[in-house]
């Protein structure tokens, strides 16, 4: 995270971090993200699908627990979230039939804004090098008016691609604002 924050600062570019509550050094990371003016959102306390998607109550508890933790550590009460595996994940079906369809309605009713992606860096499956991530992102973004890129700072090779991606984006007229709850959202259709 720290290396990514340094790259973003070098270009005065903002990103949105959907965080996992069980990550090491979370206090330091959350503060650094917020202090640098980046967006912060809820991803999951544990990222363990068998726990998160065990029931509607378990999923909601996971979301609210992380929301409270982020508030305690940063003073920011975020209402932005990205479901583990995305809204269209089918892994949740293994644990609780129909949970994603119900979750979309429930979180919206509670005032959350959920986000999915329309460009996948494939750094969580498929891509193994910075060059692959760079190509996946730039090819995916090219021609889009608004791009929501899925990329992870837990993959060193993916962070290695960020500076080149930013340079390409700036050269091609793109801007990099952080998401806010008012941002237009890209949603996948629930598959469960």
């Amino acid at each position: 995270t720290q290396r990514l924050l340094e790259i973003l600062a070098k270009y005065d570019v903002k990103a949105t971090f959907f965080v996992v509550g069980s990550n090491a050094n979370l206090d330091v990371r959350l503060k650094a993200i917020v202090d640098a003016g980046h967006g912060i959102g809820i991803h999951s306390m544990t990222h363990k699908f068998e726990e998160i998607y065990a029931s509607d109550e378990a999923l909601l508890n996971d979301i609210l627990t992380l929301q409270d933790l982020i508030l305690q550590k940063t003073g920011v009460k975020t209402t932005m979230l990205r479901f583990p595996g995305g809204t269209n994940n089918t892994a949740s079906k293994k644990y609780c039939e129909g949970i994603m369809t119900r979750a979309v309605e429930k979180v919206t009713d509670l005032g959350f804004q959920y986000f999915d992606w329309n460009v996948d860096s494939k750094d969580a499956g498929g891509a193994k090098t910075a060059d692959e991530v760079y190509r996946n992102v730039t090819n995916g973004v090219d021609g889009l008016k608004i791009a929501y890129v899925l990329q992870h700072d837990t993959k060193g090779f993916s962070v290695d691609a960020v500076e080149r991606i930013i340079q390409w984006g700036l050269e091609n007229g793109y801007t990099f604002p952080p998401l806010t709850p008012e941002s237009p959202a890209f949603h996948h259709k629930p598959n469960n």
Side-chain angles (χ1 to χ4, degrees):
T1 302
Q2 186 56 44
R3 190 161 58 96
L4 177 57
L5 289 170
E6 290 167 7
I7 295 166
L8 297 171
K10 178 178 177 180
Y11 292 91
D12 194 26
V13 163
K14 301 302 178 194
T16 302
F17 292 77
F18 290 95
V19 299
V20 175
S22 60
N23 279 353
N25 300 317
L26 186 66
D27 294 6
V28 172
R29 291 177 185 196
L30 292 176
K31 184 164 177 25
I33 290 165
V34 170
D35 286 353
H38 298 288
I40 193 160
I42 298 157
H43 189 44
S44 169
M45 276 302 296
T46 65
H47 212 275
K48 294 179 181 174
F49 283 25
E50 68 275 11
E51 294 175 13
I52 300 161
Y53 293 127
S55 68
D56 295 15
E57 295 77 22
L59 176 57
L60 187 59
N61 183 58
D62 185 83
I63 292 167
L64 295 175
T65 299
L66 185 51
Q67 182 187 44
D68 287 344
L69 180 64
I70 293 168
L71 176 61
Q72 286 174 356
K73 303 299 181 186
T74 67
V76 174
K77 184 174 183 176
T78 186
T79 57
M80 298 188 299
L81 72 97
R82 183 172 71 78
F83 291 111
T87 305
N88 64 342
N89 85 78
T90 55
S92 60
K93 189 174 191 175
K94 179 177 171 183
Y95 308 106
C96 187
E97 183 79 32
I99 192 169
M100 295 313 302
T101 300
R102 293 187 302 275
V104 164
E105 185 176 323
K106 182 66 174 175
V107 299
T108 303
D109 289 348
L110 290 173
F112 287 91
Q113 173 67 287
Y114 67 96
F115 294 88
D116 287 302
W117 57 92
N118 60 357
V119 176
D120 188 350
S121 71
K122 299 193 187 318
D123 65 357
K128 300 287 185 222
T129 68
D131 286 341
E132 290 173 295
V133 170
Y134 171 80
R135 282 192 305 274
N136 291 337
V137 172
T138 56
N139 289 339
V141 167
D142 195 20
L144 293 178
K145 183 173 171 77
I146 299 175
Y148 300 90
V149 177
L150 175 65
Q151 197 165 350
H152 300 84
D153 68 357
T154 55
K155 310 282 185 172
F157 66 88
S158 193
V159 174
D160 291 342
V162 170
E163 188 162 11
R164 287 175 50 209
I165 291 167
I166 291 170
Q167 290 169 343
W168 177 89
L170 294 172
E171 289 167 5
N172 286 280
Y174 288 94
T175 60
F176 298 83
L179 294 173
T180 70
E182 294 75 34
S183 296
F186 181 84
H187 294 152
H188 292 144
K189 182 179 180 198
N191 286 328
N192 175 26

